[in-house]
């Protein structure tokens, strides 16, 4: 589960202070999918960067299963960050590595042993429907398949939170549906909290249990999907 409390990020643009995030709080329990929807400029990218600590929030906390990422330093932070798997708009794969080697990459970083890595990669390729693609290279796959690889890679270190940043914005409608079905199927991973950040309402409507509406760095609506959709 991920708990975000009063997250604020202030940027300086010249002499002007911009509150890209202004007191954002939310909780995503394990086993559920939460959507964050907002227009351009709402603060979505800033939220992604602050949740993953690629950028330090000005104030507030991000807790994953009770561990506060904003309080962690160096080694502890590196370990804590692995609790979040990040899936980008484009899968950002290494073109010179096979699909299996791409999925194995996070495990290589943490020095996992070969047998464990191979078993995990096989399991994950099965999960995302790419059992036979392990020895292929990214350039040989469609955009949708590459996105599946990105999801498998994000799951390699058994994160507690999977964070999707505009996961389908670069995909055609049919591929979008396939990827959304895959994201939805992750709900069976009962220990995983899924957060989907998007500007596309149809994405939220199709797969999310709950949703927050981000505007000007603030959450202006939040709740169960049907309740929020009815209020809009
Ligand atoms: P700094 O303001 O300390 O130089 P950055 O290097 O992050 O910080 O950004 C440089 C400038 O580029 C900022 O002042 C801002 O005007 C602009 N900028 C960077 N990223 C964005 C963004 N996502 N949206 C709007 N402006 C941005
Ligand atoms: P979104 O991803 O929803 O389009 P952003 O998080 O990129 O929104 O931007 C939210 C606000 O913060 C905007 O006003 C943007 O100009 C500002 N901003 C984002 N990053 C920076 C930055 N590095 N420096 C200055 N301003 C930024």
């Amino acid at each position: 589960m991920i708990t975000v409390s009063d997250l604020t990020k202030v940027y300086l643009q010249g002499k002007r202070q911009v509150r890209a995030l202004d007191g954002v709080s939310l909780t995503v329990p394990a086993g559920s999918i939460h959507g964050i929807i907002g227009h351009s400029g709402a603060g979505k990218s800033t939220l992604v960067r602050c949740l993953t600590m690629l950028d330090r929030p000005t104030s507030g906390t991000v807790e994953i299963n009770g561990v506060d990422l904003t309080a962690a330093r160096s080694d502890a932070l590196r370990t804590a960050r692995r609790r979040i798997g990040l899936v980008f708009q484009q899968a950002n794969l290494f073109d010179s590595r096979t699909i299996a080697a791409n999925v194995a990459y996070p495990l290589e970083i943490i020095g996992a042993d070969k047998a464990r890595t191979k078993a995990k990669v096989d399991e994950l390729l099965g999960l995302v429907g790419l059992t036979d693609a392990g020895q292929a290279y990214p350039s040989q796959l469609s955009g949708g398949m590459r996105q599946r690889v990105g999801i498998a890679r994000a799951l390699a270190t058994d994160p507690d939170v999977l964070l999707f940043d505009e996961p389908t914005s670069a995909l055609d409608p049919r591929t979008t549906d396939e990827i959304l079905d895959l994201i939805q199927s992750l709900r069976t991973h009962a220990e995983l909290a899924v957060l989907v950040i998007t500007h596309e309402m149809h994405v939220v409507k199709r797969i999310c249990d709950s949703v927050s509406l981000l505007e000007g760095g603030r959450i202006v609506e939040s709740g169960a999907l049907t309740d929020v959709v009815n209020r809009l």
Side-chain angles (χ1 to χ4, degrees):
M1 130 154 166
I2 179 165
T3 306
V4 177
S5 304
D6 213 11
L7 201 65
T8 295
K9 179 70 187 183
V10 179
Y11 288 113
L12 215 51
Q13 294 188 359
K15 289 204 164 61
R16 206 165 65 93
Q17 285 198 344
V18 176
R19 287 184 171 265
L21 297 176
D22 190 3
V24 168
S25 297
L26 56 94
T27 298
V28 186
S32 76
I33 304 181
H34 186 79
I36 294 185
I37 184 149
H39 294 298
S40 176
K44 301 185 296 298
S45 316
T46 304
L47 183 58
V48 170
R49 290 198 302 269
C50 286
L51 291 181
T52 51
M53 298 295 287
L54 294 169
D55 208 346
R56 269 203 175 269
T58 307
S59 60
T61 57
V62 177
E63 283 181 30
I64 296 185
N65 291 347
V67 176
D68 181 5
L69 262 55
T70 60
R73 295 281 179 274
S74 55
D75 279 4
L77 179 58
R78 265 195 295 281
T79 306
R81 278 169 80 171
R82 275 180 217 123
R83 305 287 88 232
I84 304 187
L86 181 56
V87 182
F88 308 93
Q89 180 173 345
Q90 313 262 359
N92 299 334
L93 305 177
F94 293 113
D95 291 331
S96 61
R97 288 176 156 240
T98 62
I99 297 310
N102 268 280
V103 175
Y105 183 72
L107 292 166
E108 232 172 76
I109 296 288
I110 62 171
D113 71 66
K114 283 221 165 68
R116 186 185 142 210
T117 299
K118 186 178 182 323
K120 191 74 198 174
V121 169
D122 287 347
E123 176 202 327
L124 289 170
L125 288 178
L127 179 77
V128 301
L130 289 176
T131 304
D132 298 324
Q135 295 315 306
Y137 285 86
S139 63
Q140 298 172 292
L141 303 189
S142 67
M145 288 164 98
R146 284 201 294 272
Q147 196 58 313
R148 288 170 185 273
V149 178
I151 293 170
R153 180 184 55 191
L155 288 167
T157 53
D158 292 319
D160 299 304
V161 177
L162 201 53
L163 175 58
F164 289 91
D165 183 7
E166 302 280 2
T168 60
S169 299
L171 303 176
D172 64 57
R174 195 174 57 90
T175 312
T176 292
D177 284 347
E178 286 174 20
I179 294 298
L180 293 180
D181 286 346
L182 174 59
I183 296 174
Q184 201 163 32
S185 74
L186 296 173
R187 214 191 254 103
T188 57
H189 284 239
E191 68 293 349
L192 191 66
V194 179
L195 196 49
V196 180
I197 299 187
T198 178
H199 68 282
E200 298 178 301
M201 194 45 135
H202 73 93
V203 166
V204 166
K205 280 187 176 165
R206 183 164 165 150
I207 59 168
C208 293
D209 303 304
S210 56
V211 58
S212 295
L213 179 64
L214 190 66
E215 264 180 34
R218 305 181 70 96
I219 290 181
V220 296
E221 285 278 0
S222 192
L225 177 66
T226 44
D227 294 346
V228 172
V229 167
N230 285 336
R231 285 201 292 270
L232 291 181

